[in-house]
Amino acid sequence: MKDFIYNEMMVHVPLCTHKEPNNVLIISSNSAGFVQEIQKYKYDDINCDVISADINLLREVADDKYDVVISELETDAAVLAHFNRVLNEEGLLVTVHPSLGDVPENKKIMQILGKYAKIIMPYNLGNGKTALLASKEYHPTADIILQRTDLLDGLEYYNCDIHPAAFATGNNVRKEYLGIIKN
């Protein structure tokens, strides 16, 4: 898959969903592409912090500081609790997760996230893989900030039509995750 598609989908979906994404935390051992995408928000005042994908570094992050967390850290109950801790009351998380075919592991992750978030939805990254969006306040298709998506320059894949389409799921996924995906 083209790296630009992955980077654009991991960054622009949450930043065009959250009403005021002023403080963003990127958790990745290869964050350059994410940072490059965040820099495209010329008209928004976005502060971006970056840490490596290491739970020990996540433990040191301040409470309630971030509007958006974009993570490539492998998720488990402890990591999910830290995500909740560092996100503010309107916080939004995008994280990698196992393939939707790994139903038991994903249900476990989504059930834990359900304790912290109102919305939990997988979305397509453009290569058949998905990321998981968990939001305490904003719905990724109902609350998309169309004006923000229109002001972004230099995008090769992401746009205001791709954003809601990425959340479309087949009936098999809907049935398998019924009551777990919160949309």
Side-chain angles (χ1 to χ4, degrees):
M1 177 174 80
K2 306 253 186 225
D3 286 341
F4 68 85
I5 296 174
Y6 175 77
N7 292 332
E8 287 184 13
M9 293 301 288
M10 287 291 286
V11 170
H12 301 303
V13 168
L15 294 186
C16 289
T17 298
H18 196 286
K19 184 178 177 183
E20 294 179 359
N22 297 320
N23 294 304
V24 176
L25 175 63
I26 295 174
I27 305 169
S28 173
S29 295
N30 187 16
S31 62
F34 294 161
V35 172
Q36 183 178 0
E37 292 303 319
I38 289 174
Q39 290 171 345
K40 293 178 181 177
Y41 290 84
K42 301 172 192 167
Y43 306 104
D44 296 298
D45 185 25
I46 297 177
N47 300 311
C48 178
D49 295 331
V50 178
I51 62 172
S52 290
D54 179 342
I55 190 169
N56 294 316
L57 296 173
L58 180 58
R59 286 184 178 117
E60 298 172 9
V61 175
D63 293 359
D64 301 316
K65 181 175 180 181
Y66 294 99
D67 303 304
V68 174
V69 172
I70 300 168
S71 175
E72 293 182 316
L73 184 60
E74 195 170 311
T75 53
D76 62 20
V79 169
L80 296 172
H82 282 294
F83 288 156
N84 181 59
R85 179 183 60 77
V86 303
L87 285 167
N88 61 31
E89 68 275 353
E90 294 182 346
L92 192 150
L93 164 71
V94 168
T95 187
V96 294
H97 67 110
S99 162
L100 286 173
D102 187 348
V103 176
E105 187 62 26
N106 277 299
K107 282 186 175 182
K108 185 172 129 184
I109 291 167
M110 291 179 196
Q111 286 172 332
I112 294 168
L113 280 173
K115 297 174 185 177
Y116 309 126
K118 292 179 185 176
I119 309 290
I120 302 166
M121 296 172 67
Y123 70 96
N124 191 325
L125 292 172
N127 68 342
K129 293 184 180 181
T130 57
L132 195 59
L133 181 140
S135 176
K136 294 182 179 184
E137 187 66 28
Y138 303 106
H139 192 283
T141 59
D143 294 323
I144 181 175
I145 312 295
L146 294 174
Q147 181 180 8
R148 191 175 296 144
T149 65
D150 291 343
L151 292 176
L152 291 171
D153 292 325
L155 299 180
E156 297 184 61
Y157 183 77
Y158 176 85
N159 60 48
C160 64
D161 295 323
I162 292 290
H163 183 114
F167 289 92
T169 57
N171 287 335
N172 61 323
V173 172
R174 288 180 184 192
K175 288 177 186 174
E176 194 64 58
Y177 289 94
L178 185 65
I180 305 293
I181 292 175
K182 296 167 71 176
N183 58 359

